[in-house]
Amino acid sequence: MYEQYVLETEKLSCERLAWTQPDWSRRADISDLIKVLNLKIMTLRFQEKEAAEMWDAWNLETYRLNQEKRPHYILDDCLTFLRAEGNPDAPAKLLVMRRSRRRPFDKGPYHDEHYPGEQCAYEELLLQDRFFPGGRQINTR
């Protein structure tokens, strides 16, 4: 799990260049917000507090640069989800969305469609205040 986290971090770092450079045509969207949010929460589960601060800044930047203006649960509560570790209602809301068969946003995307996806229900880890010891996966099911 940790190795994929590192790869996803590098991948998103490269993608971020495309939406932060003024001459590049790529624009930030909801999918990018979800990727940054997921990596931030996984960072906390791996107990990398300094990296979590970077993801906070990137999330705020991505939110500001987001070009997709439509109803979506991530846009509605982006800052709440970003601070999910201090607010049990936020991971509970994300967990309900993960477990729901009803997908009210036709175009998606949903946070469980991006890393870590089905590999890890990080919402449960947040609610239980559990971490990945030493960067290794713990049994969450």
Side-chain angles (χ1 to χ4, degrees):
M1 175 83 59
Y2 188 78
E3 290 82 6
Q4 186 176 357
Y5 158 76
V6 172
L7 288 172
E8 292 294 327
T9 296
E10 291 301 315
K11 179 180 166 190
L12 191 57
S13 295
C14 292
E15 289 177 16
R16 179 178 168 265
L17 286 174
W19 74 72
T20 57
Q21 300 300 315
D23 292 338
W24 294 26
S25 62
R26 171 86 159 72
R27 299 292 177 243
D29 59 22
I30 294 170
S31 181
D32 298 317
L33 275 169
I34 290 172
K35 291 175 191 175
V36 174
L37 174 67
N38 285 357
L39 285 170
K40 191 268 176 144
I41 293 175
M42 290 301 290
T43 298
L44 291 172
R45 299 303 87 198
F46 287 117
Q47 301 180 38
E48 296 184 1
K49 295 187 186 305
E50 290 175 10
E53 292 173 10
M54 178 199 73
W55 290 118
D56 279 343
W58 283 22
N59 193 288
L60 295 172
E61 172 189 62
T62 308
Y63 185 80
R64 184 177 47 81
L65 296 172
N66 172 49
Q67 297 291 312
E68 224 174 328
K69 307 296 183 202
R70 62 183 172 94
H72 195 278
Y73 72 104
I74 293 295
L75 292 177
D76 294 343
D77 290 319
C78 184
L79 297 179
T80 302
F81 293 140
L82 187 61
R83 307 283 187 261
E85 72 275 8
N87 178 359
D89 292 338
K93 188 173 182 178
L94 288 171
L95 189 58
V96 166
M97 190 62 75
R98 176 185 292 273
R99 292 180 175 165
S100 176
R101 292 181 187 252
R102 184 175 165 270
R103 298 289 172 140
F105 303 97
D106 294 337
K107 296 179 184 177
Y110 290 87
H111 70 284
D112 59 342
E113 297 172 347
H114 296 281
Y115 172 82
E118 295 301 318
Q119 297 176 45
C120 169
Y122 64 67
E123 306 91 331
E124 292 175 353
L125 296 176
L126 278 171
L127 288 168
Q128 298 166 3
D129 199 29
R130 293 175 64 198
F131 300 92
F132 294 127
R136 290 189 211 113
Q137 183 176 0
I138 56 174
N139 186 5
T140 60
R141 294 182 188 197

